[in-house]
Amino acid sequence: MTSILSALAEPSTTTTLVHRAHPGPAPWWRSAVIYQVYPRSFADGNGDGIGDLPGVRARLTHLSRLGVDALWLSPFYRSPQHDAGYDVADYRDVDPLFGTLEDADAMIAEAHRLGLRVIVDLVPNHTSAAHPWFAAALAAGPGSPERARYIFRDGRGDEPPNNWRSAFGGPAWTRVTEPDGTPGQWYLHLFDDTQPDLDWTNPEVRAEFVSILRFWLDRGVDGFRVDVAHGLVKAEGLPDFAGPSAALAPPHEGTHGSEDGATGAGSLGPMWDQDGVHEIYREWHAVLAEYDGDRALVAEAWVEPLSRLALYVRPDEMQQAFNFPFLTAPWRARALREVVTESLAAYDAVGATTTWVLSNHDVVRHPTRLGLPEPGGKPSGIGVGDQQPDEELGLRRARAATLLMLGLPGSAYLYQGEELGLPEHTTLPDDERQDPTWRRTGHTERGRDGCRVPLPWVADAPAYGFSPTGRSWLSQPESWARYALDRQRCVPGSTFEMYRAALALRREYRLGTGSLAWVDGLPGDDGDLLAFVNRDVLVVTNLGTATFELSGTDLEPLLASAPLPEGAAGGDRVAVPPDVTVWVRRR
Ligand code: NOJ
């Protein structure tokens, strides 16, 4: 029994250990808290209204003050920006929008000087249609080695080669006009038609990406976030997909899996999670291992069940894989407990760390998701005319969810702005939207712009201090002044100070490499409570509607996601109000 458990001393209390602390020293990524920078919306150095690398560099002290271990930057490479940089035209250069290669070097050097590691994005599933390889493929014609770098096929008459749909809506195939002017072959794009998929059975493609990895490793990056890591290899013969029509949407509750419930290779469809992807990551693992400093790969893989996702982080593959089942879980004690337990078991089975995440640039921000009538899940954007969230309730739950997440053993990713409690921009004018999803779904799915709005740094400055000229590529809501960093820094109880305190305590109590034992049978728990012990800290989240009274001896709340009621905040009682997480230790 750890001391915190003996402090509870209730005969009815039982514990179930589901994860042991990591023995001995661990590489940094096992427990790291990593902050996602979305460069175009973080900080604008040159005043054009789009964030850039000099802007990132100038604000790195914000990250070291916050107390994270590393940052991951979404793509800043040369790109026509049809998918906000996930359409790369040159993997070895910086887009002028974001600066220069020298700016990237200076940003990496400054981050390292501040003790922050740097992860960059790698987009291997597709290039931009503006990549020289694609231009060469179009020019060279059918059957050429240039076309063989992509997935070009003849159609079925005038129909595309198969029935696959793009993740952004519409068909996943586009027909080209051949150099002689005739309607010709079709190329595959699992995303926008400006993002042609590469053919990963082609050794030239594989060699090119090893060279790109080395290019950035040589520049000193500490790792790569691998975009669409589950999509590189397609089922042999590119068979029609027999599953639900939302085939290519990332899986979430109820809409994924094959109709017979199979959960093996490719059960999400013939374009996802094929066994052949693992060979690629084994090769990359070996490349990273040649470099010093525990460099890491993190998989963006929308794969379920968790046992399939865990295959990406076997000892000779990647180091981390985002835990999206946790992100999409509904705000209910039982569902959260299940996903945490299953995650730890699945990753433990392969000796990997669990990588928690609540928000990123592809999903509605968690304060907003948790303020919806059905809190949780994965809505596809919110706009004018849609049901609006309860902002206060959402923020309250988001803070509770964050303390729950940061109390868990493993690594965790934060998305820029969540340390301010920033909600989604849910009334962004539709004519500002740039996400291809909005266009490709015939304006039925609003997409991801609402979570990509530039950050508020200074409440009273133009564009809230995002840009020296007050320009901002997406308009910021008027209600955001109260979220600005300068309104929160050094303000007790602010979301920023809560994150800062949580990160400091997480480090002090070594929670990232810690353990997890569920605590059951606490008197008054009627099933709406999540309570677990990680090393010497008891984490309690109340998902019910009544205040829960934790009783014991010498209880000391270390941190709470909302103010605790007077008179029941320590000693023999700690009150945990609804939608609140409290970290408690024994005094
Ligand atoms: C996942 C990225 O996170 C998303 O922003 C992008 O649109 C797709 N992959 C395609 O690259």
Side-chain angles (χ1 to χ4, degrees), residues 83 86 123 126 168 191 195 225 227-228 300 361-362 448 452:
D83 183 22
Y86 282 93
V123 188
H126 44 265
F168 295 155
F191 295 90
Q195 295 166 295
R225 174 266 190 192
D227 190 61
V228 203
E300 188 234 8
H361 66 293
D362 288 333
R448 304 161 293 175
R452 299 174 173 180

Side-chain angles (χ1 to χ4, degrees), residues 39-223:
R40 58 169 47 229
S41 300
F42 186 69
D44 176 14
N46 67 0
D48 65 356
I50 300 179
D52 47 39
L53 294 180
V56 175
R57 182 178 165 204
R59 294 278 188 188
L60 283 173
T61 48
H62 170 63
L63 304 194
S64 49
R65 205 171 295 138
L66 181 61
V68 297
D69 303 288
L71 62 153
W72 147 42
L73 296 110
S74 282
F76 47 74
Y77 316 111
R78 267 192 196 269
S79 159
Q81 306 290 325
H82 290 301
D83 183 22
Y86 282 93
D87 47 325
V88 181
D90 184 346
Y91 291 84
R92 297 181 183 80
D93 201 5
V94 172
D95 195 279
L97 266 186
F98 300 120
T100 61
L101 257 188
E102 290 67 43
D103 291 330
D105 290 341
M107 184 271 300
I108 295 168
E110 178 66 2
H112 286 162
R113 196 185 66 76
L114 291 168
L116 297 164
R117 289 187 160 86
V118 180
I119 292 180
V120 294
D121 220 302
L122 185 75
V123 188
N125 179 67
H126 44 265
T127 69
S128 160
H131 191 286
W133 273 11
F134 196 67
L138 292 182
S144 61
E146 288 83 356
R147 279 214 178 163
R149 295 165 177 152
Y150 294 93
I151 304 181
F152 278 86
R153 293 289 183 276
D154 294 333
R156 298 191 278 206
D158 279 339
E159 296 298 311
N162 69 24
N163 69 352
W164 297 3
R165 312 271 304 161
S166 152
F168 295 155
W173 295 93
T174 292
R175 192 168 196 181
V176 303
T177 302
E178 298 300 352
D180 65 4
T182 57
Q185 286 193 303
W186 302 70
Y187 66 90
L188 178 70
H189 50 88
L190 294 183
F191 295 90
D192 191 43
D193 54 353
T194 60
Q195 295 166 295
D197 279 48
L198 289 163
D199 185 345
W200 275 86
T201 63
N202 184 333
E204 199 186 347
V205 170
R206 295 179 66 140
E208 173 66 359
F209 274 85
V210 167
S211 155
I212 293 165
L213 285 174
R214 290 191 190 281
F215 178 87
W216 289 101
L217 289 166
D218 290 339
R219 296 196 104 81
V221 304
D222 300 281

